Amino acid sequence: MNSQQDSAPTTETNTSSMLAERSTVFLLAITCGLSVANVYYNQPLLAEIGRSFDISVQQVGFIPTLTQIGYAVGLLFLVPLGDKVERRGLIVKMLFLLACALVATALSPNITWLSVSSLILGFNSIVAHLIIPFVARMTPVAERGKVIGTLISGVIVSVLLARAASGIVGNILGWQAIYWIAAGLMIVLAFGIRGRLPVSKSSDKLSYQQLMQSLGDLVRQQPVLREAALNIALIFAAFNAFWVTLVFRLEAPPYYYGSQVAGLFGFVGIAGAIATPFIGRLVDKWGARVLVGLALALSLSGFVIIWIAGNYLIALILGVLLLDLAMHGAYVSNQVRVYNLVANAESRLNTVYMVTNYTGGALGSFLGTYSWAMWKWNGVCALCLSVLVVALVVHLSGRRSRLGL
């Protein structure tokens, strides 16, 4: 593939100096994290949403599925625009649209409205994937790893805390409250981004049609991209199948817990977020494929523990810890493999990787709630282990590239 060479924008020097300020990086990390968190607020709230609208587990299970489908569609059709249009304005507009989608979700009078608003909410929640490629391009090479690592850590921590926050807020104020709070935060962040970042016009002359066509070229010509994307999609499917059904498991015997406790399980995953920089160093030392294999082994071990000893709270916590460590390890390792493939195509490589990832997540959410409705916890665990075995087969059958990717 003859990739389009990106020339530096005229505002590069100004933008680089702005990004050197820790307060700006911190603001961008918060924005990345809170924008992605919107996709996950509904998971600990599904039981309360179901009771609110008097609908079945299977019906309410479509809500996180639709949210993640919307997110995948947004990644596919909106993120490539970061290589074409003025970036600061695009980010600010998306934050305001995100606030509107959150308000629409909070005002949902029925399941149909909630389904449509959840789809739109996911579609507009791709702000982090506009910010990260923008920062990667504008940050000096010597500082790029540190800055991008900070942004990714913000995403990971926010996703974990989103489940805890929505569970606690939903238990106290009702499931709609977290969406009102999130809408206010998006508006504040939009003004903050507009005030901190300069205008950044892209010099890339590719048309939107050419940008989209180049995605297909990347998929056809990069076997490592196909393998890494499928691998993370399968792992994320198992991960999401677990999380969307955890609240139902905790409400059943022997626990009898509610959405608040389900949300608190998000704090268990903080260990995975803390371990992410260490995982990155291991990728550099051992190679990404080795770390993907270790992540799969951790995932399989976690689900075996959850299935066999899941009636004991300590075993459930240990299983969640292993799953989060595995998810972050696989995510970082596969992403390193993808970003090393084609120079100056990071945004489009990221689009293919993330669209495949969240499509897998959406499918996992649907299959997880379906398995719970049909076969309860045994069905969920069997589903997750089966998906991970497929991921392991994909990993073992993939040929190691000459660069050890």
Side-chain angles (χ1 to χ4, degrees), residues 37 40-45 157-172 178 243 259-270:
Y40 297 93
Y41 288 138
N42 52 33
Q43 290 183 354
L45 301 173
V157 172
S158 294
V159 168
L160 295 174
L161 295 181
R163 298 185 180 99
S166 63
I168 294 170
V169 172
N171 187 66
I172 298 173
I178 192 67
W243 274 104
S259 62
Q260 184 175 3
V261 174
L264 287 174
F265 265 80
F267 286 112
V268 176
I270 292 293

Side-chain angles (χ1 to χ4, degrees), residues 234 296 300 384-394:
L234 291 167
L296 283 166
L300 288 165
C384 294
L385 284 170
S386 299
V387 169
L388 289 174
V389 168
V390 175
L392 182 61
V393 171
V394 170

Side-chain angles (χ1 to χ4, degrees), residues 123-365:
F123 183 76
N124 289 298
S125 295
I126 49 81
V127 174
H129 298 285
L130 298 174
I131 292 175
I132 293 174
F134 165 62
V135 172
R137 179 174 298 180
M138 302 310 300
T139 304
V141 174
E143 302 175 9
R144 188 171 297 164
K146 178 181 67 176
V147 174
I148 298 303
T150 301
L151 300 184
I152 293 176
S153 295
V155 172
I156 294 173
V157 172
S158 294
V159 168
L160 295 174
L161 295 181
R163 298 185 180 99
S166 63
I168 294 170
V169 172
N171 187 66
I172 298 173
L173 300 175
W175 68 264
Q176 297 93 337
I178 192 67
Y179 293 102
W180 286 110
I181 294 170
L185 289 173
M186 294 305 105
I187 294 172
V188 171
L189 290 171
F191 283 110
I193 291 290
R194 184 173 178 81
R196 295 294 299 177
L197 293 182
V199 172
S200 175
K201 295 182 179 179
S202 173
S203 60
D204 200 325
K205 302 304 181 183
L206 290 176
S207 67
Y208 182 74
Q209 182 179 358
Q210 289 172 321
L211 285 173
M212 299 306 294
Q213 289 175 342
S214 70
L215 297 177
D217 294 336
L218 287 169
V219 173
R220 286 191 298 271
Q221 298 176 13
Q222 301 296 331
V224 172
L225 173 61
R226 296 194 299 269
E227 180 195 330
L230 178 58
N231 183 278
I232 194 62
L234 291 167
I235 295 173
F236 195 44
F239 189 76
N240 268 19
F242 168 80
W243 274 104
V244 299
T245 55
L246 178 61
V247 64
F248 304 121
R249 178 69 183 94
L250 291 175
E251 286 190 337
Y255 294 114
Y256 301 105
Y257 294 140
S259 62
Q260 184 175 3
V261 174
L264 287 174
F265 265 80
F267 286 112
V268 176
I270 292 293
I274 295 172
T276 300
F278 177 68
I279 292 170
R281 290 195 291 271
L282 289 180
V283 169
D284 294 333
K285 183 177 180 180
W286 295 349
R289 280 184 58 85
V290 173
L291 266 294
V292 172
L294 289 176
L296 283 166
L298 285 177
S299 295
L300 288 165
S301 300
F303 274 112
V304 168
I305 292 171
I306 288 170
W307 196 357
I308 294 176
N311 284 337
Y312 299 95
L313 185 60
I314 187 63
L316 197 58
I317 293 172
L318 176 60
V320 171
L321 178 61
L322 291 176
L323 294 184
D324 277 327
L325 286 170
M327 183 65 213
H328 300 325
Y331 182 86
V332 172
S333 302
N334 278 311
Q335 198 162 43
V336 168
R337 300 177 73 198
V338 167
Y339 282 147
N340 286 341
L341 294 176
V342 182
N344 303 315
E346 291 83 2
S347 293
R348 280 157 278 174
L349 289 165
N350 184 65
T351 295
V352 174
Y353 179 76
M354 295 306 300
V355 166
T356 310
N357 178 33
Y358 279 95
T359 301
L363 183 61
S365 296

